[in-house]
């Protein structure tokens, strides 16, 4: 009898434990929701409408401590989830909208079969403008209007560990003051293409090949001299092609690129500028009477090492930073003499259509000589640090 009583007591304990476990599991969703509500009451309602919530393994970054090698994706409501590349045999799926309530059964989540392919695209055009007008203004001043039309277009292909990222950046700006002629303030055509292969699914390193091409649309002048252009279309044009390794940290937005073998080509297709030896090409050879014996070269080739770092991230509410530093040194000519290119941009979003931006570009290239006006004569001097700064407020359209 004693043995039988012990068995009954054991079975009764098992039954109570099972009932207790069942009760806990049925209230799991409420407990999780209440815990997050106490910690972050502002986002509780947003979380209830979000299918990517804590119950499904999707939570806010501050509550998530994943492995070091895990990369992340963030949905539009601020929640993150583990992110991996698309499997080789499976294309990406379109986003779905749902009013999923975490208090309902998890099996009620909709299934998405809308295939949109392996390509991602982003297109943005914008117009920044500035205008000043005076009427009977006692302090004096000049009426002026300026504007910059710009466009950013990207196409990215992802399949398995393979990535092909292409970007086109164009800008053109002008300024008009009172009776003075219209002058150019910005002029850029830039193409970037990166073809990479991830070393493994858990690694942040890529084997990559990069291409960068940059030139301008129209002639540039050292104002007020408008008779002698100092630059023009394809004069100069720069081409960088290199192979190396790239490290990308998704949580921090940092990207590092190292290319021990980079080919740099400088093109000057304007023969007048080429004869002057502009932008580092070999100048023309003249006889004693000033006649050209040999025309200046239209291109210059270099092979060297290239290092770059890039950081893109949201730093404050509706304020985003985008900065890139590139260092290049030629192996053959003056190795150790470093060419520097630094771009910095702050984007401040007012709403989906209005945006302010602050930009700075710094360039130092030993092959680029400075042209200045002295006593009405254009004089060529040695290389100097070049700096450009822009501030703009304008309209932005995404499509």
């Amino acid at each position: 009898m004693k043995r039988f009583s012990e068995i009954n007591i054991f079975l009764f304990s098992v039954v109570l434990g099972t009932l207790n476990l069942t009760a806990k599991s049925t209230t799991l969703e409420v407990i999780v929701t209440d815990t997050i509500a106490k910690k972050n009451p502002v986002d509780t309602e947003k979380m209830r409408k979000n299918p990517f919530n804590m119950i499904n393994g999707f939570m806010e970054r501050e509550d998530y401590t994943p492995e070091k090698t895990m990369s992340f994706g963030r949905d539009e409501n601020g929640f993150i989830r583990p992110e991996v590349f698309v499997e080789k045999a499976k294309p990406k799926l379109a986003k779905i909208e749902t009013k999923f309530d975490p208090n309902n059964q998890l099996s009620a989540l909709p299934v998405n079969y809308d295939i949109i392919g392996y390509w991602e695209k982003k297109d943005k055009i914008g117009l920044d403008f500035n205008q000043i007008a005076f009427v009977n203004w006692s302090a004096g001043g000049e009426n002026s209007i300026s504007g910059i039309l710009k466009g950013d277009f990207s196409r990215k292909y992802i399949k398995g560990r393979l990535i092909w990222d292409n970007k086109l950046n164009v800008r053109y700006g002008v300024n008009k003051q009172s009776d003075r002629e219209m002058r150019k303030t910005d002029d850029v055509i830039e193409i970037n293409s990166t073809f990479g292969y991830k070393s493994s699914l858990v690694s942040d390193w890529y084997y990559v090949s990069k291409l960068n091409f940059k030139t301008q649309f129209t002639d540039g002048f050292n104002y007020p001299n408008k008779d002698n252009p100092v630059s023009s279309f394809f004069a100069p044009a720069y081409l960088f092609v290199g192979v190396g390794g790239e490290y990308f940290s998704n949580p921090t937005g940092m990207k590092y690129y190292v290319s021990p073998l980079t080919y740099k080509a400088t093109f000057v297709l304007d023969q007048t500028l080429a004869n002057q030896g502009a932008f580092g090409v070999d100048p023309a050879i003249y006889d004693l009477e000033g006649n050209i014996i040999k025309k200046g070269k239209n291109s210059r080739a270099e092979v060297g090492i290239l290092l770059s770092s890039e950081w893109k991230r949201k730093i404050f509410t509706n304020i985003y930073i985008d900065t890139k530093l590139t260092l290049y040194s030629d192996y053959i000519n003056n190795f150790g003499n470093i060419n520097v290119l630094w771009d910095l941009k702050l984007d401040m979003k007012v709403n989906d259509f209005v945006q302010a931006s602050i930009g700075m570009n710094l360039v130092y290239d030993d092959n680029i000589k400075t042209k200045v006006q002295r006593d009405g004569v254009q004089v060529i001097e040695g290389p100097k640090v070049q700096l450009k700064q822009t501030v703009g407020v304008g309209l932005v359209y995404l499509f």
Side-chain angles (χ1 to χ4, degrees), residues 202-251:
V202 296
S203 175
D204 291 322
W205 278 96
Y206 292 83
Y207 304 108
V208 298
S209 175
K210 283 181 174 285
L211 179 147
N212 172 270
F213 174 80
K214 191 172 185 178
T215 187
Q216 60 191 47
F217 289 99
T218 60
D219 292 346
F221 299 91
N222 189 6
Y223 297 105
N225 186 340
K226 286 201 63 179
D227 298 325
N228 302 307
V230 296
S231 64
S232 63
F233 179 68
F234 253 84
Y238 297 102
L239 175 67
F240 289 87
V241 180
V243 292
E246 185 172 75
Y247 175 83
F248 178 56
S249 174
N250 217 331

Side-chain angles (χ1 to χ4, degrees), residues 43-61:
D43 295 333
T44 302
E45 184 61 27
K46 180 175 65 175
M47 187 198 69
R48 290 180 181 275
K49 296 180 181 180
N50 195 324
F52 305 120
N53 54 60
M54 191 172 181
I55 300 174
N56 297 305
F58 300 72
M59 60 188 69
E60 293 181 288
R61 184 182 297 276

Side-chain angles (χ1 to χ4, degrees), residues 111-263:
V111 179
N112 182 16
Y113 294 105
D114 184 14
I115 297 176
I116 60 175
Y118 297 99
W119 286 94
E120 292 180 356
K121 75 169 187 175
K122 294 181 181 179
D123 298 316
K124 180 173 72 173
I125 58 175
L127 175 62
D128 293 345
F129 54 88
N130 181 33
Q131 188 262 342
I132 301 176
F134 301 93
V135 177
N136 300 324
W137 192 252
S138 59
E142 283 188 311
N143 298 335
S144 69
I145 184 170
S146 62
I148 298 177
L149 180 64
K150 54 188 180 181
D152 293 296
F153 311 94
S154 69
R155 297 292 184 273
K156 181 187 292 186
Y157 177 86
I158 300 176
K159 186 177 182 182
R161 287 183 283 168
L162 183 69
I163 182 172
W164 185 26
D165 192 6
N166 303 278
K167 296 180 180 179
L168 170 64
N169 174 32
V170 293
R171 298 193 307 271
Y172 192 79
V174 294
N175 172 270
K176 180 70 170 68
Q177 290 187 1
S178 297
D179 297 330
R180 196 179 69 180
E181 75 280 359
M182 186 175 294
R183 297 183 176 183
K184 183 174 68 172
T185 58
D186 202 357
D187 190 358
V188 173
I189 307 172
E190 184 173 12
I191 299 173
N192 287 283
S193 183
T194 302
F195 185 84
Y197 187 78
K198 202 172 187 181
S199 57
S200 69
L201 289 175
V202 296
S203 175
D204 291 322
W205 278 96
Y206 292 83
Y207 304 108
V208 298
S209 175
K210 283 181 174 285
L211 179 147
N212 172 270
F213 174 80
K214 191 172 185 178
T215 187
Q216 60 191 47
F217 289 99
T218 60
D219 292 346
F221 299 91
N222 189 6
Y223 297 105
N225 186 340
K226 286 201 63 179
D227 298 325
N228 302 307
V230 296
S231 64
S232 63
F233 179 68
F234 253 84
Y238 297 102
L239 175 67
F240 289 87
V241 180
V243 292
E246 185 172 75
Y247 175 83
F248 178 56
S249 174
N250 217 331
T252 62
M254 290 296 299
K255 183 184 294 185
Y256 303 96
Y257 172 63
V258 180
S259 173
L261 186 63
T262 296
Y263 170 79

Side-chain angles (χ1 to χ4, degrees), residues 13-52:
S13 300
V14 171
V15 171
L16 287 178
T18 304
L19 292 176
N20 186 41
L21 180 61
T22 304
K24 287 183 179 180
S25 63
T26 55
T27 59
L28 174 62
E29 296 172 0
V30 177
I31 292 174
V32 170
T33 303
D34 290 343
T35 301
I36 297 180
K38 292 177 182 179
K39 185 174 182 181
N40 194 4
V42 177
D43 295 333
T44 302
E45 184 61 27
K46 180 175 65 175
M47 187 198 69
R48 290 180 181 275
K49 296 180 181 180
N50 195 324
F52 305 120

Side-chain angles (χ1 to χ4, degrees), residues 317-320 347-356 393-394:
T317 302
N318 291 334
I319 299 180
Y320 303 84
D347 289 327
M348 292 160 283
K349 183 178 178 181
V350 179
N351 54 43
D352 291 339
F353 302 100
V354 179
Q355 180 175 291
V393 178

Side-chain angles (χ1 to χ4, degrees), residues 70-130:
M70 184 69 72
S71 58
F72 309 115
R74 180 179 289 272
D75 76 331
E76 60 184 4
N77 290 320
F79 294 81
I80 69 168
R81 59 185 175 82
E83 182 182 74
V84 296
F85 284 107
V86 181
E87 296 181 17
K88 291 183 178 180
K90 295 182 180 180
K92 289 189 175 182
L93 302 175
K95 292 183 179 179
I96 53 176
E97 295 183 0
T98 177
K99 295 181 179 179
F100 174 75
D101 189 340
N103 293 318
N104 296 333
Q105 294 182 357
L106 298 182
S107 59
L109 280 173
V111 179
N112 182 16
Y113 294 105
D114 184 14
I115 297 176
I116 60 175
Y118 297 99
W119 286 94
E120 292 180 356
K121 75 169 187 175
K122 294 181 181 179
D123 298 316
K124 180 173 72 173
I125 58 175
L127 175 62
D128 293 345
F129 54 88
N130 181 33

